[in-house]
Protein backbone atom coordinates (compact mmCIF):
# COMPACT_ATOMS: atom_id res chain seq x y z
CA UNK A 1 0.00 0.00 0.00
CA UNK A 2 1.70 3.18 -1.01
CA UNK A 3 0.28 5.99 1.03
CA UNK A 4 -1.82 5.13 3.96
CA UNK A 5 -2.52 8.39 5.68
CA UNK A 6 -5.85 8.06 4.13
CA UNK A 7 -8.89 10.18 3.43
CA UNK A 8 -12.35 9.30 2.43
CA UNK A 9 -12.61 8.82 -1.34
CA UNK A 10 -15.68 11.02 -1.19
CA UNK A 11 -13.36 13.88 -0.19
CA UNK A 12 -12.71 15.02 -3.71
CA UNK A 13 -16.34 16.03 -4.00
CA UNK A 14 -17.18 16.94 -0.51
CA UNK A 15 -14.60 18.91 1.35
CA UNK A 16 -16.40 21.10 3.82
CA UNK A 17 -19.65 21.46 1.97
CA UNK A 18 -22.35 19.99 4.17
CA UNK A 19 -25.06 18.24 2.27
CA UNK A 20 -28.00 17.10 4.27
CA UNK A 21 -30.28 16.26 1.43
CA UNK A 22 -31.04 12.79 0.17
CA UNK A 23 -29.83 9.44 1.45
CA UNK A 24 -27.55 7.62 -0.99
CA UNK A 25 -28.77 4.99 -3.36
CA UNK A 26 -25.87 3.77 -5.44
CA UNK A 27 -25.76 2.62 -9.00
CA UNK A 28 -28.52 0.29 -10.03
CA UNK A 29 -28.14 -2.21 -7.26
CA UNK A 30 -31.50 -2.96 -5.68
CA UNK A 31 -31.88 -1.99 -2.06
CA UNK A 32 -32.61 -5.55 -0.94
CA UNK A 33 -33.62 -5.60 2.69
CA UNK A 34 -31.10 -7.83 4.40
CA UNK A 35 -29.91 -8.32 7.92
CA UNK A 36 -27.63 -5.27 7.62
CA UNK A 37 -30.61 -3.09 6.69
CA UNK A 38 -32.66 -4.59 9.50
CA UNK A 39 -30.05 -3.38 11.96
CA UNK A 40 -31.06 0.15 11.01
CA UNK A 41 -27.70 1.18 9.56
CA UNK A 42 -27.56 4.41 7.56
CA UNK A 43 -28.31 4.16 3.84
CA UNK A 44 -24.80 5.40 2.97
CA UNK A 45 -23.24 2.53 4.91
CA UNK A 46 -25.65 -0.03 3.46
CA UNK A 47 -24.60 1.15 0.01
CA UNK A 48 -20.94 0.59 0.89
CA UNK A 49 -21.70 -2.83 2.35
CA UNK A 50 -23.44 -3.71 -0.91
CA UNK A 51 -20.48 -2.49 -2.92
CA UNK A 52 -18.27 -4.78 -0.86
CA UNK A 53 -20.62 -7.67 -1.63
CA UNK A 54 -21.29 -8.36 2.03
CA UNK A 55 -24.66 -9.97 1.50
CA UNK A 56 -25.16 -11.13 5.07
CA UNK A 57 -23.51 -10.12 8.35
CA UNK A 58 -20.99 -12.53 9.81
CA UNK A 59 -21.64 -13.95 13.24
CA UNK A 60 -19.66 -11.27 15.07
CA UNK A 61 -21.37 -8.52 13.06
CA UNK A 62 -24.79 -9.98 13.75
CA UNK A 63 -24.14 -9.96 17.49
CA UNK A 64 -21.97 -6.91 18.02
CA UNK A 65 -23.56 -4.29 15.74
CA UNK A 66 -27.01 -4.16 17.37
CA UNK A 67 -25.41 -4.07 20.83
CA UNK A 68 -22.99 -1.32 19.85
CA UNK A 69 -25.58 0.85 18.11
CA UNK A 70 -26.97 3.47 20.39
CA UNK A 71 -30.72 3.55 19.91
CA UNK A 72 -31.20 6.44 22.27
CA UNK A 73 -28.64 9.26 22.48
CA UNK A 74 -29.69 10.01 26.06
CA UNK A 75 -28.87 6.51 27.27
CA UNK A 76 -25.23 5.51 27.80
CA UNK A 77 -23.92 3.33 24.97
CA UNK A 78 -22.95 -0.27 25.67
CA UNK A 79 -19.29 -1.01 26.17
CA UNK A 80 -18.37 -4.28 24.46
CA UNK A 81 -15.74 -6.91 25.14
CA UNK A 82 -15.67 -9.28 22.20
CA UNK A 83 -13.62 -12.41 21.75
CA UNK A 84 -13.37 -12.89 18.05
CA UNK A 85 -10.70 -14.21 15.73
CA UNK A 86 -9.07 -12.53 12.84
CA UNK A 87 -10.99 -13.25 9.64
CA UNK A 88 -14.36 -13.23 11.42
CA UNK A 89 -15.42 -9.87 10.03
CA UNK A 90 -14.70 -8.10 13.33
CA UNK A 91 -13.44 -4.92 11.64
CA UNK A 92 -16.81 -4.09 10.11
CA UNK A 93 -18.43 -5.18 13.39
CA UNK A 94 -16.88 -2.21 15.16
CA UNK A 95 -16.58 0.22 12.26
CA UNK A 96 -20.19 0.09 11.13
CA UNK A 97 -21.86 1.11 14.42
CA UNK A 98 -19.26 3.81 15.08
CA UNK A 99 -19.53 5.29 11.59
CA UNK A 100 -23.32 5.04 11.74
CA UNK A 101 -23.55 7.07 14.93
CA UNK A 102 -21.11 9.73 13.74
CA UNK A 103 -22.97 10.02 10.46
CA UNK A 104 -26.43 10.27 11.96
CA UNK A 105 -25.34 12.84 14.52
CA UNK A 106 -23.58 14.89 11.89
CA UNK A 107 -26.65 14.83 9.66
CA UNK A 108 -28.84 15.97 12.57
CA UNK A 109 -26.42 18.82 13.31
CA UNK A 110 -26.31 19.88 9.68
CA UNK A 111 -30.11 19.86 9.54
CA UNK A 112 -30.17 22.06 12.60
CA UNK A 113 -27.64 24.45 11.05
CA UNK A 114 -29.62 24.57 7.80
CA UNK A 115 -32.78 25.42 9.80
CA UNK A 116 -31.00 28.20 11.69
CA UNK A 117 -29.67 29.58 8.44
CA UNK A 118 -33.11 29.58 6.84
CA UNK A 119 -34.46 31.42 9.89
CA UNK A 120 -31.71 34.03 9.64
CA UNK A 121 -32.52 34.59 5.97
CA UNK A 122 -36.24 34.87 6.75
CA UNK A 123 -35.57 37.41 9.49
CA UNK A 124 -33.30 39.50 7.25
CA UNK A 125 -35.99 39.48 4.56
CA UNK A 126 -38.71 40.44 7.04
CA UNK A 127 -36.57 43.32 8.37
CA UNK A 128 -35.65 44.45 4.88
CA UNK A 129 -31.98 43.90 5.70
CA UNK A 130 -29.23 42.67 3.41
CA UNK A 131 -29.35 38.88 3.18
CA UNK A 132 -26.62 37.14 5.18
CA UNK A 133 -23.73 35.70 3.20
CA UNK A 134 -22.33 32.24 3.73
CA UNK A 135 -18.64 32.28 4.66
CA UNK A 136 -16.41 31.50 1.70
CA UNK A 137 -15.15 27.94 1.50
CA UNK A 138 -11.51 27.64 2.38
CA UNK A 139 -9.18 25.71 0.14
CA UNK A 140 -8.64 22.51 2.14
CA UNK A 141 -5.32 21.79 0.41
CA UNK A 142 -3.82 25.10 1.53
CA UNK A 143 -1.48 24.34 4.44
CA UNK A 144 -2.46 27.65 6.13
CA UNK A 145 -5.89 26.15 6.73
CA UNK A 146 -4.61 22.97 8.35
CA UNK A 147 -5.85 22.77 11.92
CA UNK A 148 -5.14 20.13 14.55
CA UNK A 149 -7.56 17.24 14.35
CA UNK A 150 -10.29 16.56 16.93
CA UNK A 151 -11.44 13.07 15.90
CA UNK A 152 -14.61 11.68 17.38
CA UNK A 153 -13.58 8.04 16.94
CA UNK A 154 -10.31 6.32 17.59
CA UNK A 155 -9.35 2.76 16.68
CA UNK A 156 -6.14 1.45 18.22
CA UNK A 157 -4.26 -1.40 16.58
CA UNK A 158 -1.13 -3.20 17.74
CA UNK A 159 0.72 -3.14 14.43
CA UNK A 160 1.15 -0.76 11.54
CA UNK A 161 -0.05 -3.29 8.99
CA UNK A 162 -3.23 -3.97 10.91
CA UNK A 163 -3.88 -0.23 11.35
CA UNK A 164 -3.44 0.29 7.64
CA UNK A 165 -5.79 -2.57 6.84
CA UNK A 166 -8.44 -1.26 9.25
CA UNK A 167 -8.09 2.26 7.80
CA UNK A 168 -8.53 0.84 4.32
CA UNK A 169 -11.68 -1.02 5.43
CA UNK A 170 -12.99 2.22 6.99
CA UNK A 171 -12.36 4.12 3.75
CA UNK A 172 -14.32 1.49 1.85
CA UNK A 173 -17.20 1.87 4.31
CA UNK A 174 -17.33 5.69 4.17
CA UNK A 175 -17.24 5.70 0.40
CA UNK A 176 -20.75 7.17 0.22
CA UNK A 177 -20.59 9.28 3.38
CA UNK A 178 -20.02 12.86 2.38
CA UNK A 179 -17.46 14.65 4.48
CA UNK A 180 -16.64 11.73 6.78
CA UNK A 181 -12.89 11.48 6.88
CA UNK A 182 -10.59 8.68 7.92
CA UNK A 183 -6.91 9.03 8.77
CA UNK A 184 -4.27 6.47 9.59
CA UNK A 185 -1.53 7.28 12.08
CA UNK A 186 1.34 4.80 12.23
CA UNK A 187 5.01 5.01 13.00
CA UNK A 188 7.59 5.00 10.26
CA UNK A 189 5.63 7.38 8.01
CA UNK A 190 6.74 10.96 7.34
CA UNK A 191 5.30 13.41 9.88
CA UNK A 192 4.33 16.39 7.67
CA UNK A 193 2.14 14.38 5.33
CA UNK A 194 0.57 12.49 8.21
CA UNK A 195 -0.20 15.75 10.02
CA UNK A 196 -1.67 17.35 6.92
CA UNK A 197 -3.85 14.33 6.33
CA UNK A 198 -5.14 14.36 9.88
CA UNK A 199 -6.91 17.59 9.10
CA UNK A 200 -10.62 17.29 9.89
CA UNK A 201 -10.36 13.53 10.45
CA UNK A 202 -13.45 12.08 12.09
CA UNK A 203 -12.07 8.60 12.57
CA UNK A 204 -8.41 7.96 13.31
CA UNK A 205 -6.93 4.47 13.11
CA UNK A 206 -3.62 4.40 14.92
CA UNK A 207 -0.84 2.50 16.55
CA UNK A 208 -0.40 3.86 20.10
CA UNK A 209 3.18 5.19 19.88
CA UNK A 210 2.78 7.59 16.96
CA UNK A 211 -0.67 8.62 18.17
CA UNK A 212 0.70 9.78 21.52
CA UNK A 213 3.61 11.40 19.75
CA UNK A 214 1.24 13.55 17.67
CA UNK A 215 -0.99 14.21 20.66
CA UNK A 216 1.96 15.46 22.73
CA UNK A 217 3.07 17.77 19.94
CA UNK A 218 -0.54 19.06 19.78
CA UNK A 219 -1.09 18.00 16.18
CA UNK A 220 -4.00 15.93 17.35
CA UNK A 221 -6.41 16.37 20.26
CA UNK A 222 -8.14 13.42 21.83
CA UNK A 223 -10.51 15.35 24.09
CA UNK A 224 -13.46 14.97 21.70
CA UNK A 225 -13.10 11.24 21.17
CA UNK A 226 -16.51 9.64 21.72
CA UNK A 227 -15.73 6.12 20.58
CA UNK A 228 -12.64 4.14 21.43
CA UNK A 229 -11.97 0.74 19.89
CA UNK A 230 -9.05 -1.43 20.98
CA UNK A 231 -8.46 -4.04 18.28
CA UNK A 232 -6.49 -7.22 18.99
CA UNK A 233 -6.13 -6.26 22.63
CA UNK A 234 -4.20 -9.44 23.44
CA UNK A 235 -1.54 -8.52 20.95
CA UNK A 236 -1.52 -4.97 22.25
CA UNK A 237 -0.51 -6.26 25.68
CA UNK A 238 2.02 -8.70 24.19
CA UNK A 239 3.73 -5.81 22.47
CA UNK A 240 4.00 -3.80 25.67
CA UNK A 241 1.36 -1.14 24.97
CA UNK A 242 -0.31 -1.37 28.41
CA UNK A 243 1.02 2.02 29.55
CA UNK A 244 0.18 3.73 26.27
CA UNK A 245 -3.33 2.31 26.54
CA UNK A 246 -3.66 3.72 30.05
CA UNK A 247 -2.55 7.16 28.76
CA UNK A 248 -4.99 7.06 25.87
CA UNK A 249 -7.77 5.94 28.21
CA UNK A 250 -7.13 9.04 30.38
CA UNK A 251 -6.95 11.38 27.40
CA UNK A 252 -10.29 10.15 26.11
CA UNK A 253 -12.05 9.83 29.44
CA UNK A 254 -15.15 11.72 28.38
CA UNK A 255 -15.89 9.20 25.62
CA UNK A 256 -19.21 7.46 25.63
CA UNK A 257 -18.32 4.04 24.28
CA UNK A 258 -15.39 1.62 24.41
CA UNK A 259 -15.13 -1.62 22.48
CA UNK A 260 -12.38 -4.13 22.87
CA UNK A 261 -11.73 -7.04 20.50
CA UNK A 262 -9.38 -9.84 21.38
CA UNK A 263 -8.68 -13.37 20.17
CA UNK A 264 -8.96 -14.62 23.74
CA UNK A 265 -10.44 -13.11 26.87
CA UNK A 266 -7.68 -14.23 29.19
CA UNK A 267 -7.54 -12.81 32.76
CA UNK A 268 -5.14 -10.04 31.72
CA UNK A 269 -7.67 -8.90 29.07
CA UNK A 270 -10.42 -8.94 31.67
CA UNK A 271 -8.24 -6.81 33.96
CA UNK A 272 -7.62 -4.34 31.15
CA UNK A 273 -11.35 -4.26 30.41
CA UNK A 274 -12.12 -3.56 34.07
CA UNK A 275 -9.75 -0.59 33.96
CA UNK A 276 -10.98 1.04 30.79
CA UNK A 277 -14.60 -0.06 30.36
CA UNK A 278 -17.89 0.33 32.21
CA UNK A 279 -19.39 -3.12 32.89
CA UNK A 280 -18.99 -4.23 29.30
CA UNK A 281 -21.31 -6.64 27.55
CA UNK A 282 -19.31 -9.75 26.75
CA UNK A 283 -19.59 -11.53 23.46
CA UNK A 284 -17.93 -14.84 22.74
CA UNK A 285 -17.93 -15.57 19.05
CA UNK A 286 -17.70 -19.21 17.95
CA UNK A 287 -14.71 -21.41 18.63
CA UNK A 288 -11.49 -21.16 16.72
CA UNK A 289 -11.92 -24.59 15.26
CA UNK A 290 -15.38 -24.12 13.82
CA UNK A 291 -14.37 -20.87 12.27
CA UNK A 292 -11.35 -22.22 10.47
CA UNK A 293 -13.18 -25.09 8.81
CA UNK A 294 -12.27 -23.82 5.34
CA UNK A 295 -8.57 -24.02 6.18
CA UNK A 296 -6.95 -27.42 6.00
CA UNK A 297 -4.15 -27.73 8.52
CA UNK A 298 -1.41 -30.33 8.29
CA UNK A 299 1.85 -31.06 9.98
CA UNK A 300 5.17 -32.46 8.75
CA UNK A 301 7.72 -33.69 11.24
CA UNK A 302 11.30 -32.95 10.34
CA UNK A 303 14.63 -34.21 11.64
CA UNK A 304 16.30 -30.81 11.62
CA UNK A 305 16.41 -27.37 10.01
CA UNK A 306 17.80 -28.68 6.69
CA UNK A 307 15.04 -31.25 6.51
CA UNK A 308 12.45 -28.51 7.09
CA UNK A 309 14.05 -26.49 4.33
CA UNK A 310 13.75 -29.44 1.91
CA UNK A 311 10.10 -29.92 2.84
CA UNK A 312 9.40 -26.24 2.27
CA UNK A 313 11.17 -26.32 -1.06
CA UNK A 314 9.09 -29.31 -2.10
CA UNK A 315 5.88 -27.55 -1.13
CA UNK A 316 6.74 -24.26 -2.78
CA UNK A 317 6.98 -26.06 -6.11
CA UNK A 318 3.30 -26.98 -5.79
CA UNK A 319 1.50 -25.58 -8.79
CA UNK A 320 -1.70 -25.06 -6.80
CA UNK A 321 -0.03 -22.24 -4.86
CA UNK A 322 -1.40 -18.91 -5.83
CA UNK A 323 0.42 -16.85 -3.23
CA UNK A 324 1.91 -17.90 0.08
CA UNK A 325 3.15 -16.58 3.38
CA UNK A 326 6.06 -18.41 4.99
CA UNK A 327 6.36 -17.61 8.68
CA UNK A 328 9.74 -17.38 10.32
CA UNK A 329 10.42 -17.23 14.05
CA UNK A 330 12.91 -14.38 14.01
CA UNK A 331 13.85 -11.42 11.84
CA UNK A 332 17.21 -13.04 11.10
CA UNK A 333 15.57 -16.28 10.01
CA UNK A 334 13.08 -14.24 7.97
CA UNK A 335 15.79 -12.36 6.02
CA UNK A 336 17.93 -15.46 5.53
CA UNK A 337 15.03 -17.55 4.30
CA UNK A 338 13.76 -14.89 1.88
CA UNK A 339 17.25 -14.49 0.45
CA UNK A 340 17.68 -18.22 0.18
CA UNK A 341 14.36 -18.57 -1.66
CA UNK A 342 15.27 -15.74 -4.04
CA UNK A 343 18.59 -17.46 -4.75
CA UNK A 344 16.83 -20.60 -5.87
CA UNK A 345 14.51 -18.65 -8.13
CA UNK A 346 11.35 -17.97 -6.10
CA UNK A 347 9.69 -14.60 -6.19
CA UNK A 348 10.04 -13.99 -2.45
CA UNK A 349 10.48 -10.99 -0.15
CA UNK A 350 10.93 -10.58 3.59
CA UNK A 351 8.62 -8.58 5.85
CA UNK A 352 9.51 -7.84 9.45
CA UNK A 353 9.51 -5.06 11.98
CA UNK A 354 13.11 -3.98 11.50
CA UNK A 355 12.45 -2.85 7.92
CA UNK A 356 11.45 0.75 7.24
CA UNK A 357 7.73 1.36 7.02
CA UNK A 358 8.07 2.55 3.43
CA UNK A 359 9.72 -0.72 2.43
CA UNK A 360 7.14 -2.75 4.35
CA UNK A 361 4.35 -0.92 2.53
CA UNK A 362 5.97 -1.43 -0.85
CA UNK A 363 6.49 -5.13 -0.24
CA UNK A 364 2.92 -5.60 0.93
CA UNK A 365 1.67 -3.74 -2.11
CA UNK A 366 3.79 -5.98 -4.34
CA UNK A 367 2.13 -8.98 -2.71
CA UNK A 368 -1.33 -7.48 -3.22
CA UNK A 369 -0.54 -6.68 -6.86
CA UNK A 370 0.68 -10.23 -7.43
CA UNK A 371 4.22 -9.05 -8.26
CA UNK A 372 5.52 -11.19 -5.42
CA UNK A 373 4.43 -14.76 -4.85
CA UNK A 374 5.94 -15.58 -1.48
CA UNK A 375 6.09 -13.36 1.55
CA UNK A 376 8.45 -14.51 4.28
CA UNK A 377 7.24 -12.81 7.44
CA UNK A 378 7.42 -12.61 11.20
CA UNK A 379 4.27 -12.64 13.31
CA UNK A 380 4.13 -8.94 14.05
CA UNK A 381 4.59 -7.85 10.46
CA UNK A 382 2.00 -10.24 9.08
CA UNK A 383 -0.85 -9.22 11.39
CA UNK A 384 -3.74 -7.77 9.52
CA UNK A 385 -2.66 -8.84 6.04
CA UNK A 386 -5.84 -9.41 4.09
CA UNK A 387 -4.97 -10.70 0.62
CA UNK A 388 -7.59 -13.16 -0.66
CA UNK A 389 -5.17 -14.81 -3.13
CA UNK A 390 -3.00 -16.21 -0.34
CA UNK A 391 -3.72 -19.90 -0.84
CA UNK A 392 -1.05 -21.32 1.48
CA UNK A 393 0.48 -20.46 4.82
CA UNK A 394 3.67 -22.24 5.87
CA UNK A 395 4.87 -22.29 9.44
CA UNK A 396 8.59 -22.73 8.88
CA UNK A 397 9.48 -21.36 12.29
CA UNK A 398 6.87 -22.07 14.95
CA UNK A 399 5.04 -19.18 16.62
CA UNK A 400 6.07 -18.11 20.11
CA UNK A 401 2.46 -18.07 21.30
CA UNK A 402 -0.39 -20.38 20.45
CA UNK A 403 -2.68 -17.45 19.57
CA UNK A 404 -0.21 -16.49 16.87
CA UNK A 405 -0.76 -19.84 15.19
CA UNK A 406 -4.42 -18.91 14.73
CA UNK A 407 -3.54 -15.44 13.49
CA UNK A 408 -1.05 -16.92 11.04
CA UNK A 409 -3.37 -19.45 9.46
CA UNK A 410 -6.07 -16.78 9.25
CA UNK A 411 -4.00 -15.14 6.48
CA UNK A 412 -5.29 -17.82 4.11
CA UNK A 413 -8.83 -19.02 3.45
CA UNK A 414 -10.07 -15.44 3.24
CA UNK A 415 -13.07 -14.03 1.44
CA UNK A 416 -14.86 -17.37 1.38
CA UNK A 417 -11.99 -19.33 -0.21
CA UNK A 418 -10.29 -22.52 0.94
CA UNK A 419 -6.83 -22.33 2.37
CA UNK A 420 -4.04 -24.67 3.35
CA UNK A 421 -1.85 -24.19 6.41
CA UNK A 422 1.27 -26.35 6.56
CA UNK A 423 3.38 -26.58 9.70
CA UNK A 424 6.92 -27.95 9.79
CA UNK A 425 8.13 -29.00 13.20
CA UNK A 426 11.23 -30.66 14.54
CA UNK A 427 10.78 -33.32 17.18
CA UNK A 428 12.22 -31.08 19.82
CA UNK A 429 9.22 -28.77 19.10
CA UNK A 430 6.81 -31.49 20.24
CA UNK A 431 5.81 -29.54 23.33
CA UNK A 432 4.95 -26.45 21.29
CA UNK A 433 2.88 -28.51 18.87
CA UNK A 434 0.95 -30.02 21.75
CA UNK A 435 0.34 -26.54 23.17
CA UNK A 436 -1.05 -25.40 19.83
CA UNK A 437 -3.24 -28.50 19.65
CA UNK A 438 -4.50 -27.78 23.11
CA UNK A 439 -5.24 -24.17 22.21
CA UNK A 440 -7.14 -24.98 19.03
CA UNK A 441 -8.75 -28.03 20.65
CA UNK A 442 -7.83 -30.43 17.89
CA UNK A 443 -4.92 -32.59 16.88
CA UNK A 444 -2.87 -32.18 13.75
CA UNK A 445 -2.86 -34.70 10.97
CA UNK A 446 0.81 -35.42 10.45
CA UNK A 447 1.72 -36.42 6.91
CA UNK A 448 4.88 -37.43 5.11
CA UNK A 449 6.20 -36.82 1.64
CA UNK A 450 7.60 -39.98 0.04
CA UNK A 451 11.38 -39.62 -0.10
CA UNK A 452 11.33 -36.90 2.57
CA UNK A 453 10.17 -38.94 5.55
CA UNK A 454 11.71 -38.14 8.91
CA UNK A 455 14.17 -40.70 10.16
CA UNK A 456 13.04 -40.26 13.77
CA UNK A 457 9.57 -40.59 15.20
CA UNK A 458 7.88 -38.33 17.71
CA UNK A 459 6.83 -39.83 21.04
CA UNK A 460 3.18 -39.62 20.02
CA UNK A 461 3.35 -41.16 16.58
CA UNK A 462 1.55 -39.10 13.97
CA UNK A 463 -0.56 -40.86 11.38
CA UNK A 464 1.97 -41.49 8.63
CA UNK A 465 -0.25 -41.59 5.63
CA UNK A 466 2.02 -41.13 2.65
CA UNK A 467 1.13 -38.19 0.44
CA UNK A 468 0.86 -39.15 -3.16
CA UNK A 469 0.78 -37.38 -6.43
CA UNK A 470 2.06 -33.90 -7.11
CA UNK A 471 4.02 -31.89 -4.60
CA UNK A 472 1.56 -30.13 -2.41
CA UNK A 473 -0.75 -33.01 -2.82
CA UNK A 474 -2.84 -31.67 -5.72
CA UNK A 475 -5.93 -33.71 -4.92
CA UNK A 476 -5.12 -33.67 -1.25
CA UNK A 477 -5.60 -29.91 -1.24
CA UNK A 478 -9.10 -30.36 -2.56
CA UNK A 479 -9.60 -32.34 0.63
CA UNK A 480 -9.91 -28.98 2.34
CA UNK A 481 -13.49 -29.06 1.20
CA UNK A 482 -14.11 -32.33 2.98
CA UNK A 483 -12.82 -31.14 6.30
CA UNK A 484 -10.18 -29.14 7.98
CA UNK A 485 -7.53 -31.81 8.21
CA UNK A 486 -7.95 -32.42 11.91
CA UNK A 487 -8.75 -35.48 13.85
CA UNK A 488 -11.15 -35.02 16.74
CA UNK A 489 -9.05 -34.95 19.90
CA UNK A 490 -10.45 -38.14 21.39
CA UNK A 491 -9.94 -40.24 18.26
CA UNK A 492 -6.44 -38.93 17.70
CA UNK A 493 -5.33 -39.66 21.22
CA UNK A 494 -6.58 -43.23 21.19
P1 LIG B 1 -11.76 -9.16 9.41
O1 LIG B 1 -11.99 -10.27 10.41
O2 LIG B 1 -12.42 -7.91 9.81
O3 LIG B 1 -10.29 -9.02 9.11
O4 LIG B 1 -12.47 -9.58 8.03
C1 LIG B 1 -12.05 -10.69 7.26
C2 LIG B 1 -12.51 -10.63 5.83
O5 LIG B 1 -13.92 -10.82 5.75
C3 LIG B 1 -12.22 -9.32 5.13
O6 LIG B 1 -11.71 -9.62 3.85
C4 LIG B 1 -13.56 -8.65 5.00
O7 LIG B 1 -13.63 -7.84 3.87
C5 LIG B 1 -14.51 -9.84 4.88
N1 LIG B 1 -15.86 -9.59 5.39
C6 LIG B 1 -16.20 -8.88 6.49
N2 LIG B 1 -17.53 -8.89 6.67
C7 LIG B 1 -18.06 -9.63 5.68
C8 LIG B 1 -19.40 -10.02 5.32
N3 LIG B 1 -20.45 -9.66 6.03
N4 LIG B 1 -19.56 -10.78 4.22
C9 LIG B 1 -18.49 -11.19 3.49
N5 LIG B 1 -17.20 -10.86 3.77
C10 LIG B 1 -16.98 -10.10 4.86
Amino acid sequence: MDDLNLHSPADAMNDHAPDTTTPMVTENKPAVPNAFAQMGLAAELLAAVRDLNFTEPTNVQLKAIPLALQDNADKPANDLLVSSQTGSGKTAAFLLPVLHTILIERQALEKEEAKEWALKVEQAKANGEELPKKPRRKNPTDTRHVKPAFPSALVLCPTRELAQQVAKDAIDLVKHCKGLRVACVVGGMPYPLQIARLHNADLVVATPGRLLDLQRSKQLHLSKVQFLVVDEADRMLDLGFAEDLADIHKLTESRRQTMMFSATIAPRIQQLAARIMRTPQRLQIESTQAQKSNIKQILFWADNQQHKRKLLDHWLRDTTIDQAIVFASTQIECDALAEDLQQVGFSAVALHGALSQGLRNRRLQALRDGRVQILVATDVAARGIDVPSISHVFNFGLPMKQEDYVHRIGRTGRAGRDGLAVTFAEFRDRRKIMDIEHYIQANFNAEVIPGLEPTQRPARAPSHEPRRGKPGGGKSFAGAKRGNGFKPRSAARS
Side-chain angles (χ1 to χ4, degrees), residues 36 49 52-61 84-94 162 165-166 169 172 231-232 291 384-388 410-411 414-416:
F36 280 113
V49 161
L52 288 166
N53 289 322
F54 293 179
T55 47
E56 288 303 320
T58 65
N59 212 355
V60 64
Q61 292 161 3
S84 172
Q85 304 289 342
T86 178
S88 60
K90 65 185 166 65
T91 316
F94 59 73
L162 182 62
Q165 183 63 48
V166 171
D169 291 355
D172 286 343
D231 195 12
E232 301 203 349
Q291 204 178 317
I385 294 178
D386 184 9
V387 180
R411 301 303 111 216
R414 294 182 85 81

Side-chain angles (χ1 to χ4, degrees), residues 8 22-23 34 92 127 138 187 194 222 268 275 281 291 298 319 340 342 391 396 462 471 482:
S8 142
T22 39
N34 64 10
N127 298 338
K138 288 179 183 159
Q194 203 160 61
L222 298 178
R268 62 197 185 119
R275 280 199 297 277
Q281 304 253 1
Q291 204 178 317
I298 48 178
T319 50
D340 196 15
Q342 284 163 12
S391 53
F396 184 78
R482 294 194 303 271

Side-chain angles (χ1 to χ4, degrees), residues 445-460:
N445 256 334
E447 297 190 6
V448 293
I449 293 168
L452 287 174
E453 297 90 346
T455 53
Q456 309 164 39
R457 274 181 166 253
R460 177 173 61 77

